[in-house]
Amino acid sequence: MDAILSAAHVGSALLLQLPGPLDTTLGKVFLALVAFLAVLVIGRIVLRVAWKLALIAALAIGVFLLVTTYLV
């Protein structure tokens, strides 16, 4: 059991020393595009919520304006 565990540690250490495919220029461009897409997806979700909040706020302020202008 210890021999298998030791071999696994040596094997993983050797794999970590090899240059990965993301160390190349194309790999870095790929990582940048993935990060950009993540920002777009998160931004899309945030903007969907922000649009609804802005619409609710505009309606609430409009109602408040009408009430204070004509009923008070």
Side-chain angles (χ1 to χ4, degrees), residues 6-48:
S6 177
H9 287 299
V10 170
S12 63
L14 287 175
L15 284 176
L16 288 174
Q17 291 177 359
L18 292 174
L22 299 178
D23 288 339
T24 63
T25 302
L26 191 58
K28 290 178 184 176
V29 169
F30 174 72
L31 281 178
L33 283 174
V34 169
F36 179 66
L37 288 173
V39 168
L40 285 179
V41 168
I42 293 170
R44 187 175 176 195
I45 294 168
V46 169
L47 284 175
R48 186 179 301 154

Side-chain angles (χ1 to χ4, degrees), residues 46-57:
V46 169
L47 284 175
R48 186 179 301 154
V49 173
W51 171 254
K52 291 176 185 175
L53 288 175
L55 183 62
I56 291 170

